[in-house]
Amino acid sequence: MTRGSSEHAPVRAYDVLYLEDAMACLGCFFEYAINDYGAEGREVAALFAASSLARQFETGAPWVVSGRSGIELFWDMSLELGYDDGRAAPEPAVRTGRTPEYWAGWVAAYIQWRFALTFTQLFDVLPFDVLVGLYHPWHEASEERMARLFAERMADRRVPTNLARLRCACGYTQRELAELSSVSLRSIQMYEQRNKDINRAQAASMERLARVLRCRVEDLLEPVVAVA
């Protein structure tokens, strides 16, 4: 995997010389946590983002970004947060290639360094399981192309979704819309936060939302942005 470069970059926590070590560490962390230990991807990403280890990773502590293996980082986090369930540590499987989970961790470390974000901010824009789902075909792209995709999603979040805009125009809160449409409050929140793709929502749910908001179903859909 190759790294790109960009002008006008934010001040980063550590030198580019340590970046590949950091990316390999986080890639191994997620690969081991999910594929060997059996953790759920989104859960372990949220736990890591909330840990003091993530703060040290974000600020470029050398012992974290370059001095630990991903497996050691996972057990450090487990000890800190009480995530260890007491069973014996599984041995990492022998793999001939990198997994989607490794790639997602690798890319997450690059994006965090590239934009000087916290991991909480990163996974809020691009949840870990969504990132894993981008493995095909994005694993063949450079990290900088992934960074551009992330930047577009981050910019999109600053623009209200069509659902949020139409809801506000009608004067409804999210809870009121949920009650009137019989679409769950959580679904409405996730659609408006772009953590769930409204373009793939069930037709019946879309029709109920459109009826309450006095609009066409098509008015609720979000534009699809292609990245070259």
Side-chain angles (χ1 to χ4, degrees):
M1 299 181 187
T2 58
R3 296 190 298 274
S5 60
S6 177
E7 298 178 354
H8 311 301
V11 177
R12 291 155 186 157
Y14 54 94
D15 192 273
V16 68
L17 293 174
Y18 301 103
L19 178 57
E20 193 156 331
D21 284 346
M23 293 162 71
C25 177
L26 203 59
C28 180
F29 170 91
F30 282 110
E31 182 174 70
Y32 179 80
I34 297 166
N35 295 323
D36 296 310
Y37 186 79
E40 191 276 323
R42 187 184 284 249
E43 178 187 44
V44 78
L47 287 171
F48 173 70
S51 70
S52 65
L53 287 167
R55 302 291 81 75
Q56 295 182 71
F57 204 108
E58 292 157 3
T59 55
W63 76 273
V64 177
V65 299
S66 188
R68 305 293 277 171
S69 72
I71 296 174
E72 290 171 326
L73 192 67
F74 172 75
W75 288 112
D76 289 340
M77 183 205 74
S78 298
L79 181 62
E80 175 191 340
L81 300 180
Y83 186 66
D84 180 9
D85 60 9
R87 59 190 166 97
E91 289 294 321
V94 177
R95 298 180 174 92
T96 57
R98 295 308 184 185
T99 63
E101 292 77 18
Y102 181 97
W103 174 83
W106 171 280
V107 168
Y110 180 82
I111 291 173
Q112 187 278 320
W113 175 86
R114 170 73 170 74
F115 294 103
L117 299 170
T118 67
F119 284 103
T120 296
Q121 291 170 324
L122 190 161
F123 292 132
D124 185 48
V125 174
L126 192 59
F128 183 79
D129 52 356
V130 174
L131 183 54
V132 171
L134 294 174
Y135 179 77
H136 292 293
W138 285 91
H139 71 284
E140 297 179 349
S142 69
E143 288 81 19
E144 191 58 23
R145 285 190 65 197
M146 281 301 302
R148 292 202 303 271
L149 174 65
F150 178 85
E152 290 188 359
R153 293 197 175 204
M154 189 161 53
D156 284 344
R157 290 176 67 86
R158 301 190 187 106
V159 179
T161 62
N162 289 331
L163 175 61
R165 178 178 55 78
L166 290 165
R167 174 180 60 76
C168 291
C170 290
Y172 296 132
T173 65
Q174 291 177 332
R175 186 172 298 278
E176 288 170 338
L177 178 58
E179 292 172 352
L180 291 168
S181 66
S182 298
V183 175
S184 73
L185 174 61
R186 183 59 180 153
S187 288
I188 290 172
Q189 291 171 335
M190 292 187 74
Y191 290 142
E192 293 194 4
Q193 294 166 4
R194 294 190 173 91
N195 285 332
K196 192 174 182 180
D197 188 357
I198 196 170
N199 294 358
R200 297 184 179 181
Q202 293 183 350
S205 297
M206 295 291 282
E207 289 169 1
R208 291 197 299 271
L209 288 169
R211 189 179 307 116
V212 173
L213 297 173
R214 301 187 293 278
C215 68
R216 302 174 304 163
V217 167
E218 291 82 357
D219 295 331
L220 296 171
L221 300 178
E222 290 296 301
V224 177
V225 179
V227 179

